[in-house]
Amino acid sequence: MIIADTTLYQGMRAKMIEQLRKKEIFDENVLQAMKTMPRHYFVPFSLIAHSYQDQALPIACQQTISQPYTVAFQTTLLSVKPDMKILEIGTGSGYQAAILKTMNTTVYTIERHRQLYEDAKHLFATLKLNIATKHGDGHAGWTEFAPFDRIIVTCGATTIPEKLIAQLKIGGIMICPTGDKCQEMKKIVKTDENNLNITTHGYCAFVPMLSQTEYQSQ
Ligand code: SAH
């Protein structure tokens, strides 16, 4: 169910953008996309009043919709330009994918939980967001549509997934939180076929990137 984007929500969203600026998010394209796309469309109904607070919130399947700051930070690191082909690992609520789509890119997103995949697919259709969705293990990427200009991983990987690097264009950028309980945000630039330039951008806490779909044991 979509709750209309009233002036109340628009006002809360404007305040959220001001908070993000105070936290040193300065990329106007990212801020504009987050100002345009209502976050409350992606938050469970019972938590909708909290949609514009800068916090992660629980969604189905014991997962979370990322904190607005995290979405803004990862998207800034991704250096998105219009018409880029972007792969997201971890669809979750669909909010991050919707922000990327609002930046006029072509978005492909993979989710391992069938329910989240189905819900996001349905929500994208309702919102008329043309985003390609897939149910599966993001470690494998999406070979049919590779190579990608950008890859964004929104769950915590233990190590940088090699198959994703293989599906990144030369000059492409991948943002991937890497580590066990707490992760380090990594920006990986594929400088040529055999070389990566990896920089780290602080610590973060994501739900783990698991290797099977939900049919098998977690
Ligand atoms: N980008 C999401 C964040 C969701 S949390 C949003 O904007 O709401 C991370 C998501 O990654 C969860 O939904 C989790 O189920 C999913 N995930 C974890 N491991 C995965 C894997 N191997 N492949 C695809 N998705 C995975």
Side-chain angles (χ1 to χ4, degrees):
M1 184 172 51
I2 299 292
I3 304 296
D5 190 30
T6 58
T7 51
L8 173 72
Y9 290 120
Q10 289 166 18
M12 290 197 284
R13 200 150 69 246
K15 281 190 186 144
M16 177 185 84
I17 300 298
E18 288 320 307
Q19 289 299 316
L20 293 174
R21 283 189 205 279
K22 282 188 188 140
K23 294 178 182 175
E24 304 196 342
I25 299 294
F26 297 129
D27 185 325
E28 288 302 326
N29 293 329
V30 174
L31 292 169
Q32 187 57 43
M34 292 182 73
K35 197 174 172 186
T36 306
M37 179 54 64
R39 186 172 185 252
H40 72 269
Y41 290 171
F42 301 86
V43 167
F45 184 67
S46 61
L47 296 172
I48 216 160
H50 304 283
S51 299
Y52 296 104
Q53 291 164 7
D54 192 17
Q55 61 185 63
L57 294 168
I59 57 172
C61 306
Q62 281 140 17
Q63 303 302 315
T64 53
I65 171 172
S66 301
Q67 184 185 348
Y69 175 78
T70 304
V71 172
F73 186 58
Q74 281 199 290
T75 312
T76 300
L77 286 176
L78 205 59
S79 301
V80 174
K81 293 188 185 61
D83 302 323
M84 280 186 163
K85 190 158 66 156
I86 306 183
L87 175 67
E88 179 196 28
I89 309 301
T91 314
S93 68
Y95 179 62
Q96 172 74 70
I99 293 297
L100 296 169
K101 187 69 209 168
T102 306
M103 297 175 83
N104 298 315
T105 61
T106 305
V107 185
Y108 299 82
T109 182
I110 306 176
E111 170 57 54
R112 68 178 282 280
H113 274 289
R114 181 167 285 279
Q115 189 192 332
L116 293 173
Y117 153 78
E118 298 279 3
D119 289 352
K121 192 173 157 176
H122 184 256
L123 183 57
F124 293 150
T126 306
L127 297 174
K128 298 193 169 38
L129 291 170
N130 184 12
I131 294 172
T133 52
K134 177 176 169 171
H135 175 234
D137 178 3
H139 286 94
W142 201 336
T143 45
E144 294 95 309
F145 298 105
F148 298 94
D149 297 290
R150 300 287 185 262
I151 299 179
I152 177 169
V153 180
T154 66
C155 38
T158 38
T159 53
I160 297 168
E162 273 180 35
K163 286 185 183 162
L164 296 185
I165 295 291
Q167 291 177 32
L168 194 59
K169 283 186 189 170
I170 306 290
I173 298 174
M174 174 157 108
I175 305 299
C176 183
T178 310
D180 289 326
K181 286 205 173 74
C182 150
Q183 303 94 22
E184 201 163 28
M185 189 71 81
K186 292 205 170 123
K187 175 174 175 173
I188 301 128
V189 182
K190 188 168 175 177
T191 49
D192 62 47
E193 202 49 66
N194 303 309
N195 288 293
L196 304 174
N197 180 0
I198 304 175
T199 50
T200 55
H201 301 268
Y203 286 89
C204 44
F206 282 81
V207 297
M209 182 171 181
L210 300 174
S211 56
Q212 311 100 338
T213 60
E214 77 282 17
Y215 302 120
Q216 296 150 292
S217 65
Q218 306 238 336

